[in-house]
Amino acid sequence: MCSFRWCFLLAALALTPSRALAEGRSIARIDAIRMGAQRGPGVAVAAAPRSASIEASLSSQGFFPRPPSVTMSAGRRAGSFGSGLDYSVTVLQDMSVRGLGGARSDAALSLRRAVDADVQRMRLEAATRAGLAWVTALEAEEFLRLRKEALAQAERIVAAARARVGSGVGQPYELAAAQGDYGAAVAAGLDAEGNLVEALAELRFALALPAADAIDPAGDLYATDEQPLDEAKAIQAAETGHPLVSSAQSRVAVAQQEVRLTHAVLAPGVSVGGVFSREGDGTTIVLGMVGFPLPLLDPTAFESARQRAVVHVAEALVDRARAEVDRDIRLALHERHHMREVREALRVHALPAMQESLRLAQVNYAVGTQDITNVLLARQRLGLAQEQLARAAAGVQRADIKLARATGTLLKGIP
């Protein structure tokens, strides 16, 4: 068992930020959003098909669905008209008559546009994740600071209780209660430090930084942008040009071009070729060949129908994307107002009253007119109010990021 003083020193060491946390790379919120958009998880995955789409575009020209075929035959002829070696060579080339080159070119172009739209969507999602991770890390740092202050307050209450008990004015249970409160403050501080480690790990991942890098979210948790917002314009912008909707629409275009490409590839075309043959008696024959399909059935019907099913799914996903954007922006607008109201209620009404309550309880305890229970309760309630205010301030920051994401303006001005 350690003495109370040694326990306090060990707790102070445990709650002291490591060198990596204290001297890490400083990252502001705009930096986190920019880094997340540029290299966050998923951005590289979304961009991966881009090179293949460019290659497909370069290889799309031409109306030959297949390479030419060559058929060779040879054999010996024997009969009453003589004998000798027969051989022939037949060359055939199939040609599409349904715009194969154009279908391929348009399909490659729609794929490239879909990749670009998906990259923009993923940039927005990655930037949102990075911004929210930054807020969480900043909130975790503030919680650790508040709990260090609470630990210092608990230490002062223990010192006051020890002095009263030592002088014979106080009762031994007062010191025990103060020490128990101090122990709870130590545990709360350790919990806050663990939360900070987790928050920084998530922030590093969201920014695609090495797991061992030291970083420090730089900013004021309680400072937010209070400029007026034109809600009607925000809703209109979200419903018309949101990257989530644009990405879904691009997938419809890809599916439609796949239907057209399937129809062009599988449809029978014209066969053009020639035959050269030499018979065993020395006769030489040269023939030209043209083949036309008979319009008795459509061999593309099955595959085209299957591709149209993909089109219908993609069109339904566009409607769902619009509904999601509509839901998200209205929730974000409500959250923006709501969290500001909660923050102001705590900052204006709750926190000053709690601070005054603790001050009066400490004064009354010092002069012996109140029990230590009131002091401990006032300290705990003040700590709870401070943490609620920090949580509400972080909620305001998150609401602003979510609203910018919902309106599709989070990356405005960010390359």
Side-chain angles (χ1 to χ4, degrees):
M1 295 291 293
C2 64
S3 69
F4 189 76
R5 175 60 61 181
W6 277 110
C7 286
F8 173 75
L9 291 176
L10 290 174
L13 287 174
L15 297 182
T16 301
S18 66
R19 183 180 182 86
L21 295 179
E23 300 182 4
R25 173 183 176 182
S26 180
I27 298 177
R29 189 174 98 169
I30 188 64
D31 297 327
I33 292 174
R34 175 180 51 80
M35 293 171 65
Q38 290 176 348
R39 55 186 187 181
V43 176
V45 176
R50 180 175 286 153
S51 60
S53 68
I54 295 174
E55 182 181 354
S57 183
L58 295 176
S59 306
S60 64
Q61 299 303 318
F63 51 89
F64 296 137
R66 286 167 292 278
S69 62
V70 177
T71 303
M72 302 179 66
S73 61
R76 182 173 180 78
R77 171 183 292 192
S80 57
F81 295 100
S83 62
L85 179 65
D86 279 2
Y87 63 86
S88 67
V89 178
T90 303
V91 178
L92 284 176
Q93 173 65 66
D94 292 334
M95 294 186 298
S96 173
V97 294
R98 295 191 178 180
L100 178 60
R104 283 174 171 172
S105 179
D106 291 343
L109 179 60
S110 65
L111 177 59
R112 189 163 70 250
R113 288 174 177 171
V115 171
D116 292 339
D118 204 40
V119 168
Q120 291 304 312
R121 178 188 64 83
M122 189 51 65
R123 276 170 49 86
L124 179 63
E125 297 299 328
T128 301
R129 179 173 184 173
L132 294 177
W134 179 88
V135 173
T136 300
L138 193 64
E139 179 187 23
E141 281 192 344
E142 179 64 8
F143 265 63
L144 182 59
R145 184 189 70 81
L146 291 174
R147 291 183 181 180
K148 284 181 179 181
E149 289 183 356
L151 182 64
Q153 290 175 346
E155 168 68 8
R156 289 193 293 269
I157 294 173
V158 168
R162 179 180 292 109
R164 285 176 55 83
V165 172
S167 65
V169 177
Q171 297 296 321
Y173 82 88
E174 296 180 1
L175 179 58
Q179 289 177 336
D181 181 66
Y182 170 81
V186 172
L190 293 172
D191 181 64
E193 187 179 23
N195 290 337
L196 177 58
V197 171
E198 291 182 7
L200 291 176
E202 167 63 17
L203 180 57
R204 279 190 289 266
F205 180 77
L207 302 181
L209 294 174
D213 273 15
I215 57 175
D216 178 31
D220 183 358
L221 183 66
Y222 302 97
T224 51
D225 182 10
E226 301 301 329
Q227 293 182 358
L229 175 68
D230 189 333
E231 296 186 5
K233 278 190 176 180
I235 293 174
Q236 183 181 8
E239 291 176 344
T240 55
H242 196 281
L244 181 63
V245 176
S246 299
S247 178
Q249 290 173 332
S250 70
R251 292 297 168 185
V252 174
V254 170
Q256 289 172 339
Q257 291 301 326
E258 287 296 327
V259 173
R260 180 187 170 197
L261 182 60
T262 298
H263 194 64
V265 169
L266 298 183
V270 175
S271 298
V272 178
V275 179
F276 173 83
S277 64
R278 183 183 184 282
E279 298 183 353
D281 61 359
T283 302
T284 300
I285 302 174
V286 179
L287 299 174
M289 298 177 60
V290 179
F292 297 94
L294 296 177
L296 301 179
L297 54 88
D298 183 5
T300 70
F302 175 72
E303 293 297 335
S304 295
R306 291 181 61 204
Q307 290 296 329
R308 279 194 293 272
V310 178
V311 174
H312 297 157
V313 171
E315 290 172 343
L317 288 176
V318 172
D319 294 335
R320 191 181 78 172
R322 287 198 177 99
E324 288 179 355
V325 169
D326 191 55
R327 175 205 62 192
D328 290 347
I329 190 170
R330 281 164 175 79
L331 284 175
L333 287 169
H334 168 76
E335 188 176 359
R336 183 176 187 269
H337 295 303
H338 175 74
M339 293 310 303
R340 280 167 167 78
E341 291 175 348
V342 173
R343 181 190 62 184
E344 291 309 298
L346 290 166
R347 184 181 65 84
V348 175
H349 301 291
L351 193 58
M354 294 297 181
Q355 291 170 336
E356 181 65 10
S357 174
L358 177 59
R359 187 189 70 81
L360 293 175
Q362 288 174 327
V363 171
N364 292 335
Y365 179 65
V367 299
T369 59
Q370 276 191 359
D371 186 80
I372 194 173
T373 305
N374 294 328
V375 178
L376 299 179
L377 179 61
R379 188 202 70 76
Q380 293 167 6
R381 296 189 66 183
L382 173 60
L384 178 61
Q386 289 174 325
E387 291 185 5
Q388 285 178 323
L389 177 59
R391 190 173 289 110
V396 171
Q397 298 258 15
R398 291 190 182 97
D400 290 345
I401 292 174
K402 290 178 182 178
L403 179 59
R405 184 259 181 195
T407 57
T409 59
L410 182 63
L411 299 180
K412 188 176 180 180
I414 296 178

